[in-house]
Amino acid sequence: METRHLRLQGMSCAACANTIEQSIQGVPGVSQCNVNFAAGQARVQYDPQRTDLKLIQEAVSQAGYTAQAIQEVSAEQGDVEKAAREAEQRELMQKVIVGAVVSGLLILGMLPSMTGLVLSWIPAWLHNSWVQLALTTPVQVWCGQVFFVKGWKAFKHHAADMNTLVALGTGAAFLYSLAVTLYSGILGLLGRPADVYDVYYESAAVIITLILLGRLLENRARGRTSEAIRQLMGLQAKTARVIRAGEEIDAPLEDVMVGDVVVVRPGEKIPVDGDVVDGASTVDESMVTGESMPVKKQVGDEVIGATLNKTGSFKFRASRIGKDTMLAQIVKLVQDAQGSKAPIQKLADQVTGWFVPVVIAIAIATFVIWFNIRGNLTLAMLTTVGVLIIACPCALGLATPTSIMVGTGKGAENGILIKGAESLELAHKLQTIVLDKTGTLTEGKPTVNHYATVRGTAHSNEIKLLRLAAAVERKSEHPLAEAVVQYAQAQGADFPLPEVENFEAAAGMGVQGTVSDRRVQIGTQRWMDTLGIDTTALQSQREAWEAAANSTAWIAVDGQIEGLLGIADALKPSSIEAVKALQKMNLEVVMLTGDNRQTADAIAREAGIKRVFAEVRPAQKSAQLKYLQLEGKTVAMVGDGINDSPALAQADVGIAIGTGTDVAIAASDITLISGDLRGIVTAIQLSQATMRNIRQNLFFAFIYNVAGIPIAAGILYPFLGWLLNPMIAGAAMAFSSVSVVTNALRLRDFRPRV
Amino acid sequence: MLTSRKVLNYVLNLGFLLSIAVSAAAGAQALEPAQGQPRPFPPIERPLLLKLGVTLGGLGLIGLELWWFQFRKTEAKPAKLREGIQEIGVTVDGGYEPNRIVVQAGQPVRLNFFRKDPSSCLEKVLLPDFHRSADLLLNGTTSVEFTPQQPGTYSFHCGMNMVRGVLVVQ
């Protein structure tokens, strides 16, 4: 039995759901089918022996709807890949061991003639070329099979790759030796001296073994480059405790539908995204947002699938499942980013396109030249093999993508989603960072910053007054009112708040009501003036707070002024630190806001920002950025991604902050999942580290090939008598691609420094 | 488990370095003439005709090889339009078959990759111009969807850019 989910299109009512359900159930082999109208999904259980998804999809389309299979982000798929990778590694390992044993014997046999020493302990038959042929053939045919099979397949596709080179190189050495063996054999039969030419069986065997060993190491290392994605996928819970018909049942994750109520106990993983409907807890979201502090969750708050519930139990209603969950979106985004190409790779791409055919041409030319100037067939053959073997297109091809893979994965680990390699490359060239004020530098919602009372703090007067004020404000829907209630709670006012009678709101002025027979009025200076209430007592505070970009509200009780509140959208605690860190990296930090100049200047002063664009209407934001770009600067715009979309798009690098919403991700190049501005610093540092890593890789890969190929071709032989043994070429080649991957893996040690 | 993996890794790396050292030593000795022995590759006089033949043969091979790999294009295969999506299956087995695909601009394209080749080289397919990458299921179909806007020639390739295919957008 197989269970798959289909995304349905064309449903307009719940009746359609029935129609689809019936049409799917009509397909022979389908044992169960549930259609969820709200989610637009169907869950189908079927016998893969008797039917398949295509037939089911056809049945749906005959009913007049379309069904698409949902490709789930599953840990299982990761497991399958892992198993496949391990099987490949096991096979490589066996071949390496066989190759190594044979190579050891062959080298042992060659030792006396190589060194000219008398080594009587080595049996003479090991030097016999027929024995060597017998030993090498299995290595060439079995261990080296992959090079020939793959090389041939590529050849048929008019393509040439590393396999082509290794197949040609080892094939040439083997066939040459075979020809020499046969020729000597014939001479021997004719009774003439047979030992005319040397054989090079050991070269073929050693090269194949070394390259397979290099491949094995590279394979193991490369498995680790996409570890970040696999770890993300592995975060997903396997089951969920869902309430069905009033009972809690453990259901596999695939069975959870949108709208299901899910129960989460302390220490458990939250299975899918949703909104808390009952209970409260703290949740560790670090694996998704990079934010290390656990986050409080209560009724109405969003929870993210794959995060870890810490302290309390709660119930939540599933809102996003399958590939719509935040985790699935992150995985997809990172995968897509890994599929993008950094501009720096262009040159390497152009080179790899021509590389192998050109190397083959160089190898043939090497043969022709040596044959013409020295006439020595062995010399010509050895240099040709050397050129074919030492050339390493893999190092060039691997240089950029592996670093990008590790870099983007590392970003996701730190709550930084990078949309493409282009952005990752551009981020290290940034000169100016433009920060939006509201919601980016600041919390995005007003909080009470200042509070003063006329009577001071005797007999907990200030708490009692705050409780009265909060009681009245709770009736109001003004955003400032919520700030007052929250402040009262934070300051320790007794809850529940007392009842309010005769509540009344004066638009743009304030609110009033009667609490415990006392008349409480909260409002602006203008309102107090109209009411004829004397406000001289705290007037100097009011002026000072307003100068610091606070809104103020007076509290009057029974017609007497009692207190004053200063309310403002406060800076995030991390903002000052982030601005400082950015400035320390020699980046110009600019603030952009629609607020008035006074408020803007006050916030900028507090955050340590010198350049401010205030009173900029949303539509003008992108024009402001263009203006900065005209100054010749590479500019990043940091905003919430919803109001700032045009500006984010205009910027060289658009950074959306604090949300994983689709809009933000669509408009931005980089998304910081947590609202912490220090993520910008981390993103830039990651970009710098990745680019440094790519440059090292490319430099190494280019230099290696540019220097290695001529040396292997014997360019130094006429001057210094240096000739590269093909076996060394094989070792160098195996080493070069391993070292590129290993260098890219060093990026995994990247740690943000703020 | 973890420690045994580490040990294995360590042994492998050590073995790798050792084998490099051994083969380097063996190679160096093989090509350095031992004392009293003649240089290993004495010049041999060859008839001019043979030299000419080898030269021409070599040049011919170079030309043939460059033509085969670089200038001979495989036949392009158009994607089929099904329910508004241009769809085509691509078999991944040592290369992409077909490796030259023709699609129309402005319409969504779905490439269904069927991977037969177990080699990890081919486990990823990248379409950098469309910001797409996919891990290909072994012996299974993995679809990649995107909409090309501009006509032109785009490439898709494996993780190392060694195996390539071309997407011609008209």
Side-chain angles (χ1 to χ4, degrees):
Chain A
M1 279 297 146
E2 204 169 305
T3 307
R4 288 296 296 265
H5 286 84
L6 299 170
R7 181 177 304 285
L8 300 168
Q9 274 161 356
M11 282 199 293
S12 55
C13 61
C16 303
N18 275 332
T19 317
I20 294 177
E21 221 170 84
Q22 279 161 14
S23 64
I24 293 179
Q25 255 154 4
V27 178
V30 172
S31 56
Q32 210 187 2
C33 169
N34 301 310
V35 174
N36 183 318
F37 174 62
Q41 287 185 1
R43 179 175 168 273
V44 188
Q45 206 173 49
Y46 63 93
D47 182 357
Q49 308 273 315
R50 296 176 56 201
T51 185
D52 60 15
L53 271 185
K54 272 228 168 75
L55 285 172
I56 295 169
Q57 280 168 297
E58 245 161 55
V60 175
S61 67
Q62 268 167 18
Y65 308 91
T66 53
Q68 269 182 336
I70 298 174
Q71 279 173 6
E72 335 235 344
V73 181
S74 72
E76 273 163 41
Q77 186 184 328
D79 290 345
V80 172
E81 267 164 38
K82 204 174 156 203
R85 190 181 280 280
E86 272 166 10
E88 190 184 1
Q89 286 174 2
R90 250 195 318 278
E91 198 193 325
L92 272 172
M93 180 74 114
Q94 287 166 357
K95 290 183 171 170
V96 166
I97 290 170
V98 170
V101 170
V102 171
S103 301
L105 285 173
L106 288 171
I107 288 182
L108 211 59
M110 296 305 285
L111 271 184
S113 68
M114 277 176 176
T115 56
L117 299 173
V118 181
L119 301 166
S120 51
W121 52 272
I122 297 172
W125 54 266
L126 266 181
H127 188 53
N128 183 301
S129 57
W130 291 99
V131 173
Q132 291 189 352
L133 171 64
L135 280 172
T136 312
T137 308
V139 177
Q140 188 78 31
V141 174
W142 183 63
C143 302
Q145 188 191 31
V146 55
F147 302 117
F148 293 92
V149 172
K150 294 251 169 81
W152 176 244
K153 275 184 187 163
F155 181 82
K156 282 193 297 185
H157 285 107
H158 300 277
D161 58 10
M162 196 184 90
N163 296 307
T164 318
L165 293 177
V166 178
L168 284 176
T170 59
F174 183 79
L175 289 179
Y176 173 85
S177 305
L178 182 64
V180 167
T181 307
L182 292 174
Y183 181 58
S184 308
I186 293 165
L187 287 184
L189 285 178
L190 296 176
R192 294 212 230 141
D195 216 8
V196 190
Y197 293 107
D198 285 330
V199 289
Y200 290 91
Y201 289 117
E202 83 284 358
S203 290
V206 168
I207 290 167
I208 286 176
T209 309
L210 279 173
I211 291 176
L212 286 176
L213 179 59
R215 222 172 240 202
L216 175 62
L217 291 176
E218 183 200 306
N219 193 305
R220 296 167 68 90
R222 213 139 48 82
R224 272 177 276 160
T225 58
S226 49
E227 212 164 55
I229 285 241
R230 268 204 304 285
Q231 273 172 1
L232 276 175
M233 285 177 169
L235 284 176
Q236 204 162 50
K238 293 224 161 39
T239 59
R241 191 169 299 114
V242 188
I243 299 183
R244 291 266 164 84
E247 253 182 87
E248 287 182 20
I249 54 159
D250 277 327
L253 194 65
E254 301 81 50
D255 285 4
V256 181
M257 289 283 178
V258 170
D260 275 342
V261 174
V262 182
V263 184
V264 187
R265 302 216 178 106
E268 286 184 343
K269 256 184 204 167
I270 298 168
V272 294
D273 294 1
D275 305 296
V276 178
V277 290
D278 186 28
S281 181
T282 53
V283 174
D284 177 6
E285 296 187 337
S286 59
M287 54 293 279
V288 176
T289 64
E291 178 80 59
S292 53
M293 288 291 286
V295 188
K296 274 189 194 148
K297 297 287 177 187
Q298 52 195 21
V299 174
D301 284 345
E302 251 188 29
V303 288
I304 307 170
T307 57
L308 192 66
N309 180 27
K310 300 287 258 193
T311 49
S313 292
F314 64 90
K315 291 176 188 164
F316 74 95
R317 193 178 303 282
S319 63
R320 285 180 299 193
I321 58 168
K323 75 166 184 182
D324 298 329
T325 61
M326 185 136 155
L327 181 73
Q329 285 185 45
I330 291 174
V331 168
K332 179 158 189 320
L333 198 81
V334 176
Q335 273 177 336
D336 286 346
Q338 294 181 340
S340 66
K341 194 165 279 186
I344 195 171
Q345 202 186 339
K346 288 239 168 72
L347 178 64
D349 272 355
Q350 277 166 358
V351 174
T352 46
W354 278 87
F355 191 87
V356 177
V358 166
V359 166
I360 296 174
I362 294 176
I364 299 171
T366 304
F367 184 92
V368 169
I369 290 169
W370 279 122
F371 188 84
N372 278 332
I373 58 177
R374 291 199 57 111
N376 190 311
L377 196 62
T378 314
L379 176 66
M381 187 276 298
L382 281 181
T383 46
T384 304
V385 171
V387 169
L388 289 172
I389 296 300
I390 204 162
C392 187
C394 278
L396 272 174
L398 283 170
T400 321
T402 31
S403 302
I404 295 279
M405 287 237 299
V406 181
T408 46
K410 199 73 208 175
E413 244 172 68
N414 286 289
I416 300 162
L417 300 181
I418 300 157
K419 206 157 121 197
E422 300 93 335
S423 331
L424 192 61
E425 179 167 346
L426 258 179
H428 86 292
K429 292 184 191 152
L430 287 174
Q431 291 160 304
T432 302
I433 312 287
V434 181
L435 299 165
D436 180 49
K437 183 183 80 78
T438 312
T440 301
L441 271 168
T442 66
E443 298 282 3
K445 57 174 190 197
T447 47
V448 175
N449 273 351
H450 304 281
Y451 175 46
T453 55
V454 176
R455 292 168 202 262
T457 55
H459 312 297
S460 326
N461 161 62
E462 88 284 13
I463 297 289
K464 287 177 191 157
L465 180 66
L466 202 55
R467 187 159 178 257
L468 290 180
V472 178
E473 288 285 21
R474 198 179 47 163
K475 297 272 173 193
S476 163
E477 277 157 14
H478 198 276
L480 294 185
E482 200 193 318
V484 176
V485 178
Q486 274 182 359
Y487 182 67
Q489 195 167 18
Q491 292 300 307
D494 285 339
F495 272 66
L497 296 164
E499 280 305 306
V500 181
E501 286 157 16
N502 308 323
F503 176 81
E504 218 177 295
M509 298 292 222
V511 289
Q512 56 181 341
T514 312
V515 187
S516 322
D517 290 334
R518 303 184 73 183
R519 179 138 200 83
V520 183
Q521 291 165 312
I522 307 163
T524 61
Q525 178 72 47
R526 207 140 60 87
W527 200 40
M528 293 297 143
D529 290 344
T530 15
L531 291 171
I533 296 170
D534 178 24
T535 58
T536 42
L538 296 168
Q539 203 50 249
S540 59
Q541 271 94 331
R542 186 184 82 90
E543 276 156 27
W545 295 351
E546 286 196 352
N550 282 266
S551 309
T552 53
W554 293 102
I555 308 171
V557 179
D558 295 333
Q560 289 289 314
I561 219 62
E562 289 287 347
L564 178 66
L565 291 162
I567 301 170
D569 183 6
L571 276 181
K572 285 178 193 164
S574 59
S575 290
I576 298 176
E577 217 178 307
V579 169
K580 227 181 250 165
L582 288 171
Q583 284 165 341
K584 223 164 126 192
M585 295 166 86
N586 283 327
L587 294 163
E588 187 192 20
V589 182
V590 179
M591 189 173 99
L592 186 64
T593 177
D595 267 4
N596 64 58
R597 168 119 336 245
Q598 195 187 16
T599 311
D601 281 344
I603 290 284
R605 235 188 342 269
E606 201 186 335
I609 297 173
K610 293 185 189 74
R611 196 167 178 193
V612 180
F613 294 128
E615 292 163 32
V616 182
R617 285 202 309 275
Q620 294 174 327
K621 281 187 178 174
S622 63
Q624 275 301 343
L625 279 175
K626 231 180 259 172
Y627 172 73
L628 278 170
Q629 285 167 326
L630 281 177
E631 287 177 14
K633 287 176 176 140
T634 314
V635 183
M637 167 77 200
V638 189
D640 61 14
I642 300 159
N643 305 319
D644 303 327
S645 296
L648 288 181
Q650 173 64 39
D652 296 294
V653 179
I655 303 177
I657 194 160
T659 46
T661 59
D662 296 345
V663 199
I665 291 176
S668 63
D669 302 309
I670 295 176
T671 305
L672 307 177
I673 305 176
S674 83
D676 195 328
L677 283 188
R678 283 173 296 192
I680 307 168
V681 183
T682 309
I684 295 174
Q685 284 171 352
L686 183 65
S687 161
Q688 287 169 343
T690 310
M691 291 315 294
R692 205 164 36 239
N693 198 274
I694 290 175
R695 287 205 193 95
Q696 289 162 355
N697 278 349
L698 282 176
F699 177 78
F700 175 78
F702 270 107
I703 286 296
Y704 166 82
N705 280 302
V706 165
I709 294 175
I711 292 176
I715 204 167
L716 297 175
Y717 186 64
F719 314 109
L720 302 165
W722 285 5
L723 208 53
L724 205 63
N725 185 295
M727 288 189 277
I728 302 178
M733 144 85 180
F735 178 68
S736 70
S737 53
V738 174
S739 60
V740 163
V741 179
T742 311
N743 188 43
L745 279 178
R746 286 194 313 123
L747 264 181
R748 292 197 310 166
D749 299 330
F750 170 82
R751 297 272 175 282
R753 287 164 283 122
V754 180
Chain B
M1 180 63 199
L2 200 75
T3 43
S4 76
R5 265 182 160 254
K6 266 189 185 161
V7 169
L8 186 65
N9 218 17
Y10 176 74
V11 169
L12 271 175
N13 280 298
L14 195 72
F16 185 56
L17 284 178
L18 256 177
S19 54
I20 288 178
V22 167
S23 57
Q29 275 168 336
L31 293 173
E32 244 173 55
Q35 275 178 337
Q37 284 187 351
R39 273 176 91 88
F41 305 114
I44 300 166
E45 205 43 59
R46 303 278 184 190
L48 192 66
L49 210 61
L50 184 62
K51 282 185 181 179
L52 199 69
V54 166
T55 309
L56 287 178
L59 288 177
L61 260 180
I62 291 175
L64 210 63
E65 170 257 333
L66 286 180
W67 167 79
W68 179 263
F69 288 126
Q70 224 52 40
F71 297 107
R72 240 205 71 160
K73 288 185 175 140
T74 44
E75 207 178 314
K77 224 175 150 184
K80 285 203 184 82
L81 195 65
R82 264 183 53 190
E83 290 167 23
I85 297 175
Q86 312 181 69
E87 205 168 6
I88 191 166
V90 181
T91 308
V92 184
D93 187 14
Y96 300 111
E97 179 62 49
N99 62 0
R100 212 175 160 78
I101 297 165
V102 181
V103 296
Q104 307 301 320
Q107 258 179 340
V109 174
R110 186 188 295 148
L111 304 179
N112 299 318
F113 288 96
F114 186 80
R115 176 175 162 220
K116 280 197 210 158
D117 195 322
S119 147
S120 62
C121 282
L122 289 160
E123 70 187 7
K124 226 177 185 23
V125 68
L126 307 183
L127 291 105
D129 298 300
F130 305 102
H131 270 216
R132 287 286 183 277
S133 79
D135 290 315
L136 303 181
L137 280 172
L138 185 59
N139 294 319
T141 304
T142 312
S143 299
V144 181
E145 280 179 48
F146 54 92
T147 307
Q149 300 297 354
Q150 296 291 324
T153 306
Y154 305 93
S155 77
F156 58 95
H157 51 75
C158 71
M160 281 193 260
N161 193 13
M162 290 312 305
V163 179
R164 278 181 295 262
V166 174
L167 194 78
V168 181
V169 180
Q170 289 176 341

